[in-house]
Structures are given as C-alpha cells and as structure tokens.
Amino acid sequence: MNISHIEHIGIAVKNLEESIAFYEDVLGLTCYSIEEVADQKVRTAFFMLGKTKVELLESTDPEGPIGKFIEKKGEGVHHMAFAVKDIENALSGLENKGIRLIDKTPRKGAEGLDIAFLHPKSTHGVLMELCEDKNES
Ligand code: ZN
C-alpha cells in the first residue's frame, strides 16, 4: 500500500455553521467548500492546512452514520483519511491481510474522491478511510 499523506481528518459536529465560525474566527482558517454527500447523510465543510484538510461533518439524518456517532459519543474526531495510489489494489492487499473492510470496493465521497472505509476493529480503534483522487493521478 502506498500512503502519501493524511488527506483529511473527519470531525463530527452538531451544527456546521457554528463549527465553521469556530474554525474561521478562532483558528483563522478559511472554509473553501461546503458540500452535501447524500449517500452518507452528511453536510461537509472543508479547510485546507498544507496538503491536509479538516472535514467537518454534520448529520442530515439522525439514523445516518454521523447522527448515530454523535448520539453515542458526542462531537469529536470521527475518522482519519489517508491519500493512496491505486485504492483498489490497496483494498485487495488489506483484505489479503485479513483486515475488515467496511467498503470492499471504492465509492464516491466528497470532492469526487474514490473512498473506502476500514473497520476500526481491525485498525486498533481508528475508523480509517482511504482516498484516491483519480483526477490527480
Ligand atoms: Zn472523510
């Protein structure tokens, strides 16, 4: 597997607008994109820090993954995403090593990236996401 950098950190928030205000007014970052990902029942806001982004996630449905996460654990870090080359190959390599995959094949995530999640039971407790920007490579 070929990880080049941390693509983003995903953070679950209750209110996207209030959270954006914190990241902009207190941390001095600039939100460059707000996008709804219907598939994952979230609205997302992105901030760029070098090559790495912060992705804020607000649930659009209490039954969605972020809605359930917030109900159980409250706001906080939700997942960590690695930028990889050849995500299909990375997934099959992980599967061969017995790693539990949430997505066996990539799907479309925010910003048009191909993404797939690994199960935290196989990664020492961290929900991990692989991302590939096919437009870039
Ligand atoms: Zn993500």
Side-chain angles (χ1 to χ4, degrees):
M1 180 149 76
N2 184 352
I3 297 175
S4 58
H5 60 283
I6 295 175
E7 215 283 334
H8 63 268
I9 308 274
I11 298 172
V13 300
K14 285 186 182 157
N15 181 304
L16 200 63
E17 275 66 34
E18 282 176 16
S19 307
I20 289 170
F22 170 81
Y23 280 80
E24 292 196 326
D25 301 343
V26 179
L27 300 185
L29 301 173
T30 303
C31 174
Y32 69 88
S33 166
I34 293 176
E35 185 184 341
E36 180 157 349
V37 185
D39 183 45
Q40 288 169 68
K41 301 184 166 73
V42 290
R43 281 205 310 140
T44 63
F46 284 96
F47 302 83
M48 184 71 80
L49 298 88
K51 280 186 94 171
T52 301
K53 299 158 190 162
V54 169
E55 174 187 39
L56 302 181
L57 301 146
E58 175 197 69
S59 185
T60 56
D61 179 343
E63 292 305 307
I66 295 298
K68 285 185 181 160
F69 177 88
I70 292 217
E71 192 185 305
K72 252 197 249 171
K73 299 187 177 171
E75 293 183 302
V77 174
H78 177 259
H79 66 273
M80 183 162 149
F82 298 118
V84 296
K85 297 261 179 281
D86 195 351
I87 188 167
E88 289 83 3
N89 189 46
L91 288 171
S92 66
L94 288 165
E95 199 164 25
N96 287 342
K97 288 178 176 160
I99 303 301
R100 209 164 130 193
L101 306 177
I102 293 174
D103 302 296
K104 297 203 173 196
T105 54
R107 54 194 163 100
K108 282 287 170 201
E111 303 198 297
L113 299 181
D114 288 289
I115 65 154
F117 283 94
L118 317 184
H119 200 284
K121 288 225 160 100
S122 280
T123 64
H124 299 269
V126 177
L127 176 59
M128 290 180 181
E129 177 184 353
L130 304 183
C131 299
E132 183 175 20
D133 188 349
K134 301 260 191 201
N135 302 314
E136 198 178 65
S137 48

